[in-house]
Structures are given as structure tokens and as C-alpha cells.
Amino acid sequence: METCSDEIERARRLIAAASRIVVLTGAGISAESGVPTFRGAEGLWKQYRPEQLASPEAFVDNPCLVWEWYGWRRDKVAACQPNAAHLALARFALGHGKTLIVTQNVDGLHADAAREVAGDRDPAAALPVELHGNLFSLRCTACQHVWRDSTAIDASSLDTLPICPSCRGLARPHIVWFGESLDSGHVSRAFCEAELAAVCVVIGTSGVVQPAASIAAVTAQAGGEVIEINPDETPLTALSSVSIRSGAVAAVPPIFEGTSVSAPGRDS
Ligand code: NAD
Ligand code: ZN
């Protein structure tokens, strides 16, 4: 059986040779920043599962409860920083214009890493497609206006919940909830890139939330390679030519840092 370092070296070579790369991340990449995953031990809040709170029905039923949960999650994430895995990916994506980071995470840590690494430069090449939204974006339930907000949430009564700055309608998190559709522009950007990519790197996702979980399959079906970084096996393991059974912080920097990139074209 190959050791983790053999697998890391194989992954490093695949990345170095790839002309286009798509990186799909999930909650696991932020676990070492202190953001709890859903399916880990800390996934429960009070007695609720995420599926009971992250839905349009739950919000209609009890907006204060849903906002209380989001307020708690925003506070947790606001205290977290991008880790070495977010930073290594951001540095790589900035230095290599053919990398697209697609995330299911709503914590904004990839974007924070992109801005931190870019400094005075434009961070655009390292900004992720945030398939499921962002904890710090709100949307008006009346006029659909979307805005950024990171102020504390007071969910003690309906009167104190966040409201729209333009029409004073009730605000909700600008997050894709269970049963809702993803932004079609985001989906087509992610899937087009998955088809063109020589390598899809899947980091810290349980691979059960669709359509994100299909991104790796699209790369594999188009002849590309899949690299998985996850301490546990997932349904995506079967698609992967390289499986790295470790946390993201140990695996991502050695794979992405110090690699040189070949000229355009599928695998060389
Ligand atoms: P998930 O919670 O279902 O799975 C997390 C995966 O990460 C697991 O497979 C686990 O083995 C792996 N993991 C745990 N620690 C890791 C580490 N240190 N390094 C690498 N991998 C590690 O997460 P998901 O697949 O992203 O799906 C959950 C859904 O919940 C998504 O829709 C997402 O929007 C949302 N969510 C987001 C956050 C966040 O923004 N950080 C956190 C929790 C849930
Ligand atoms: Zn409004």
C-alpha cells in the first residue's frame, strides 16, 4: 500500500503537468480553521440537524430560530482565519490563471485568502465560485435585493431581525437552502471548467450534496484525473486516481506550492 507521502508526490506531479485545474472544496477544508463541518460531531446546533433549519419552510415557520442559528454560525466563522490550505490554493490560483476554485462552503475563507495573498494585486483569479452562497450576504424576501452584511444578528424577536435597506422587507441569508436551486451561472461555470480540467482536486467534502458532488465525475468522464484529499473515504473515492487520507492543511501546501505549470493543452 502506498504511503501518504507517495500519494502526495503523485498528486504534486499531476498538478504540475495539468493545464487546467478545478478544485472543489467542502466543509473539511475549513475544519482546521475551526469552522465545524455539518456531518462531524459539532454539526448539531441545539437539538437541530442542518436540514431542519436550512430550508425555506423552516424560515417561514420560525424566522427567529433560523436567524438565531445563522447568527451563531456567523459569529463562529467571523472568529476564524484562512488556514494554510486556503492560502496555498489562493497563491497557486493567482500564479496560474487556469485554476478555478469551486466551493460549497459559505464561510468566505477562500475569498479572504485570495485577498490576503493578492495584497495590492487583483485577487480575481483566486476568488472562488461560492456555489451555496455566503454567510455574510443577505437577500430581501420581498424585493430580492442582495447585500453584504457582517453586523451582529439580534434574533430575539421578529422586530429585530435584519431588514432590507431598500424596501424594509424581511431579510434572509443569501444561502442556497435544501430544496432550492443553485445560481445557474455558477453551476455552468463550475461544470464547464470541470469538463475542460485535466485534474479535479476534491478537498474535504463528503460528496453527498448535489450537484457539487458530480463535478469530479464530469472531469473523470472527460478523461481527466481526480485527486481526493479527505481523512475518510467518500462516494468520490471510487472516481479518484489519487486518494490522500489526511487533513487539508497537511496535504494541500506540499501539492500546490513550488509546482511549475506546463503549457496549455490537456494532460502532458
Ligand atoms: P460535510 O460536513 O458533509 O463533510 C465534510 C467532509 O470533510 C467529510 O468528508 C470529512 O471527512 C472531511 N474532513 C473533515 N476534516 C477534514 C480536514 N481537516 N481536511 C480535509 N477533509 C476533512 O461537508 P460538505 O461536503 O461540504 O457538505 C456540507 C454542506 O454544508 C455544504 O452544502 C456546505 O454549504 C455546508 N457547510 C458549509 C460549511 C462552511 O462553510 N465551512 C460548514 C458546514 C457545512
Ligand atoms: Zn427589499
Side-chain angles (χ1 to χ4, degrees):
M1 194 177 149
E2 284 184 281
T3 64
C4 206
S5 59
D6 291 336
E7 294 283 275
I8 285 177
E9 182 53 23
R10 284 182 60 207
R12 199 190 66 73
R13 290 206 188 129
L14 283 173
I15 295 294
S19 51
R20 296 176 85 115
I21 298 160
V22 66
V23 179
L24 172 68
T25 70
I29 195 170
S30 298
E32 290 163 271
S33 289
V35 184
T37 61
F38 270 2
R39 276 158 257 274
E42 291 181 87
L44 285 182
W45 174 76
K46 299 192 173 173
Q47 73 276 32
Y48 300 100
R49 282 176 287 107
E51 294 85 339
Q52 293 175 284
L53 298 167
S55 76
E57 295 78 17
F59 190 69
V60 168
D61 195 43
N62 193 342
C64 291
L65 179 72
V66 173
W67 263 122
E68 191 187 344
W69 182 53
Y70 276 100
W72 173 80
R73 292 181 65 196
R74 283 158 59 108
D75 289 349
K76 279 214 156 216
V77 165
C80 296
Q81 307 290 328
N83 63 44
H86 297 105
L87 292 169
L89 283 175
R91 268 192 288 272
F92 186 83
L94 265 187
H96 167 35
K98 299 289 184 190
T99 300
L100 181 66
I101 301 170
V102 178
T103 190
Q104 299 167 90
N105 295 345
V106 293
D107 55 34
L109 291 177
H110 282 297
D112 290 348
R115 285 185 285 266
E116 182 177 330
V117 163
D120 294 337
R121 289 174 295 159
D122 180 358
L127 289 175
V129 174
E130 292 176 322
L131 280 179
H132 296 166
N134 188 301
L135 284 173
F136 301 99
S137 288
L138 306 192
R139 185 168 83 237
C140 177
T141 55
C143 77
Q144 312 307 320
H145 174 60
V146 174
W147 68 100
R148 297 277 301 167
D149 172 286
S150 50
T151 56
I153 303 296
D154 179 352
S156 56
S157 77
L158 277 178
D159 296 336
T160 58
L161 294 180
I163 54 168
C164 174
S166 122
C167 79
R168 307 191 70 74
L170 176 63
R172 58 163 276 180
H174 187 41
I175 298 264
V176 182
W177 282 337
F178 290 97
E180 294 184 324
S181 306
L182 280 69
D183 178 297
S184 59
H186 288 170
V187 173
S188 60
R189 203 170 154 218
F191 278 85
C192 283
E193 200 53 43
E195 191 152 6
L196 294 170
V199 179
C200 174
V201 187
V202 186
I203 308 170
T205 175
S206 54
V208 295
V209 179
Q210 293 293 355
S214 301
I215 287 175
V218 167
T219 300
Q221 275 153 20
E225 309 273 357
V226 176
I227 299 170
E228 181 179 59
I229 301 171
N230 195 314
D232 293 332
E233 278 197 19
T234 77
L236 303 180
T237 305
L239 292 174
S240 308
S241 42
V242 181
S243 294
I244 298 167
R245 293 277 155 263
S246 96
V249 164
V252 174
I255 293 172
F256 283 89
E257 285 183 342
T259 54
S260 58
V261 170
S262 69
R266 197 175 269 285
D267 267 355
S268 49

